[in-house]
Amino acid sequence: MIETELTRCVAAFLPGATGVTGAAKLSGGASQETWTFDIVHPNGNVGAILRRAPPGYGAAPGRAAGLEAEATLMQLAHDAGLPSPKVMHVLTPEDGLGRGFIMARVEGETIARKILRDEEFAKARPILARQLGRVIAGIHSLPQAKLPKLRSLTATREIEDLSREYHSFNWPRPVFELALRWLRDHDPGPSSEVTLVHGDFRHGNLIIGPDGVRAVLDWELAHTGDPMEDLGWICVNSWRFGEIDKPVGGFGSREDLFAGYAEAGRKVDPDRVMFWEVMGTLRWGVMCCGMMQRFRLGPDHSMERAMIGRRASETEIDLLRLLAPRGR
């Protein structure tokens, strides 16, 4: 039982803790798990989240920053006053829980359908885009000297990485070819400023309450690069969930997002943001193709992979809508 290991772990880092209760797995995958539980303490129970790669799994593959880097970034954000959970403990081999960390649980909603439609969030929706602009600006302002070791990404490298991954599927899609050509033709070159980039700033990775944004989660794809990438990614149509006339997550405008970013003392380059919105749309399309490829070839023939895989066709429509007004 994981509660036994958790009890031993929390007693070591939180004086007075006597155990844990209510441990439940929230999500799982090939290499990472998320658990919710309460730490039992004389001063009152403490809500907590365990994010881990179980024992037996090695270092994070590919684009992932790694769980230790995630913990460092989340704590840096928390210490800077950004909406980020407090990291309570980074796991050690002695904990017997694998690699990962324990953070304070933040109450709120991550499901886009509820955030965009439920009355509970009616007052939050009009202010979210501006709030998120300020949050993104705060992330981009975190001091590079304190960052963990992260991969560096440029527009040129991302284009070539996407091209290589897409062509590896041997699944021709003319709209993807068009998008790749457009991206190469409009590559803005290296950014004049390189900052921390969250890399996956969107619905599902944001905890929202009736008062607005409460926490930014899942720093798995964090890297250094062009700060306009985060602004473009959150505007990708796939994160609007049907509210296509509200580019920022289906709840706000680019103007409000940019205004919040500027209020925090940072400058927006709208042309670079649009470039990264096209890039992000293609990236999600390629990721969907990857899901379908894994569904087809196995060993994971889950319905979830198939359903995400078929969404590649949606990104083709999105790309045509983005590129047609630009003469392509």
Side-chain angles (χ1 to χ4, degrees), residues 73-74 76-78 80-84 131-144 147 150 193-202 205-206 213 215-219 221-227 229-231 234 260-261 264 266:
L73 293 170
M74 292 178 72
L76 282 173
H78 178 274
L82 298 174
S84 178
Q131 277 188 344
L132 293 178
R134 292 194 291 267
V135 173
I136 295 173
I139 291 172
H140 296 166
S141 298
L142 290 175
Q144 291 206 35
L147 300 181
L150 298 169
E193 181 185 20
V194 174
T195 69
L196 171 66
V197 177
H198 180 276
D200 202 10
F201 196 93
R202 60 170 176 85
N205 294 335
L206 302 169
V213 61
V216 180
L217 305 175
D218 292 353
W219 297 67
L221 299 180
H223 56 274
T224 58
D226 186 344
E229 180 185 346
D230 278 334
L231 295 172
I234 198 173
Y261 194 78
R266 299 194 59 84

Side-chain angles (χ1 to χ4, degrees), residues 224-266:
T224 58
D226 186 344
M228 297 301 101
E229 180 185 346
D230 278 334
L231 295 172
W233 182 242
I234 198 173
C235 292
V236 168
N237 189 44
S238 296
W239 319 138
R240 302 177 200 174
F241 294 88
E243 302 290 340
I244 62 174
D245 295 329
K246 298 174 182 175
V248 183
F251 49 70
S253 67
R254 293 185 182 89
E255 289 76 14
D256 280 348
L257 178 73
F258 295 169
Y261 194 78
E263 286 169 3
R266 299 194 59 84

Side-chain angles (χ1 to χ4, degrees), residues 276-287:
W276 283 106
E277 184 175 336
V278 175
M279 179 87 83
T281 304
L282 176 61
R283 181 196 301 165
W284 177 238
V286 172
M287 291 168 69

Side-chain angles (χ1 to χ4, degrees), residues 63 158 162 165 169 176 200 202-203 221 233 236-241 276-292 294 304-305 307-316 318-319:
R63 302 167 68 94
E158 178 74 343
L162 281 178
E165 185 175 359
F169 301 143
F176 284 12
D200 202 10
R202 60 170 176 85
H203 276 303
L221 299 180
W233 182 242
V236 168
N237 189 44
S238 296
W239 319 138
R240 302 177 200 174
F241 294 88
W276 283 106
E277 184 175 336
V278 175
M279 179 87 83
T281 304
L282 176 61
R283 181 196 301 165
W284 177 238
V286 172
M287 291 168 69
C288 290
C289 287
M291 285 286 187
M292 181 59 76
R294 285 189 284 276
E304 181 182 14
R305 289 194 187 276
M307 291 175 65
I308 295 174
R310 68 185 296 273
R311 294 190 66 188
S313 60
E314 297 174 9
T315 65
E316 293 181 280
D318 294 339
L319 285 166

Side-chain angles (χ1 to χ4, degrees), residues 98-135:
R99 297 171 54 252
F101 56 91
I102 295 171
M103 58 184 169
R105 190 169 65 233
V106 177
E107 301 300 333
E109 187 57 73
T110 61
I111 299 174
R113 176 180 54 80
K114 293 179 177 291
I115 295 166
L116 296 180
R117 292 167 176 76
D118 286 6
E119 181 62 27
E120 178 184 0
F121 304 101
K123 292 183 178 179
R125 286 191 286 270
I127 64 173
L128 271 176
R130 206 177 194 100
Q131 277 188 344
L132 293 178
R134 292 194 291 267
V135 173

